[in-house]
Amino acid sequence: GQYTDVRLCAAPHLPDRRRTERLLPALSGLPLPGRSRPPTQALFDEDHFPKAMLTGKKAHQAFLKGARERVPLLKAKGRVSLEMVLPYPPGITVLEPGEVWTDEALSYFLFLQKYKSAFPDFSPEILGVHGKEAEPYVWVLKNQKEGS
């Protein structure tokens, strides 16, 4: 295809054959013209910005007072985040304290968890998502009904 030359040029520079075998299929899955948008695209569309249920100050106070609950990342949708959540690099905040976990934010961080497993040497640090890669969790507002 259009990117064959790029793949062939990149492969000899990788440290070992197994990484090459994992990298090439990942590169072929990158968004191309006519394919769906990358997972980050919707994060920056104003229509998809997360709803703020609390101010950052109130979210921080709730965290400090113990009005927090540790939930698996997979169950974060609709819950109010009590921490800033961002990958570094690039260091752009995806969720502020007090904002609701959206489908887009959840999809993005689940994608990053898969990426970290596949390419540990190239993975970003993720602030606000804690725990082992197999069991990531986040801190959310306690006693909050989903979606409220």
Side-chain angles (χ1 to χ4, degrees):
Q2 181 178 358
Y3 296 97
T4 303
D5 295 332
V6 173
R7 290 183 198 148
L8 292 176
C9 290
H13 302 290
L14 296 174
D16 63 49
R17 183 165 179 79
R18 284 190 336 210
R19 283 198 181 135
T20 303
E21 290 169 356
R22 290 189 343 210
L23 181 62
L24 294 181
L27 288 174
S28 67
L30 291 174
L32 298 174
R35 284 197 191 164
S36 63
R37 299 183 312 174
T40 56
Q41 185 73 37
L43 293 173
F44 302 107
D45 288 345
E46 192 172 345
D47 295 340
H48 297 280
F49 284 173
K51 183 177 180 183
M53 298 297 286
L54 300 173
T55 64
K57 181 177 181 179
K58 287 185 179 181
H60 182 67
Q61 289 171 338
F63 186 91
L64 293 176
K65 290 179 180 178
R68 63 182 181 264
E69 183 179 354
R70 176 180 153 164
V71 299
L73 180 60
L74 282 169
K75 296 185 178 187
K77 181 184 171 203
R79 303 296 301 269
V80 176
S81 178
L82 293 182
E83 293 185 288
M84 183 183 315
V85 185
L86 66 105
Y88 180 81
I92 299 171
T93 304
V94 175
L95 278 177
E96 290 284 343
E99 292 182 336
V100 176
W101 276 91
T102 62
D103 281 328
E104 293 80 14
L106 185 57
S107 295
Y108 178 60
F109 285 102
L110 290 173
F111 164 79
L112 287 178
Q113 289 299 120
K114 278 177 94 172
Y115 182 86
K116 283 176 74 167
S117 294
F119 306 105
D121 294 341
F122 300 103
S123 64
E125 179 179 355
I126 302 174
L127 304 176
V129 177
H130 310 279
K132 298 177 184 171
E133 290 177 22
E135 301 171 10
Y137 66 89
V138 295
W139 291 104
V140 297
L141 186 62
K142 191 175 189 177
N143 297 326
Q144 174 215 357
K145 293 183 178 160
E146 192 168 325
S148 65

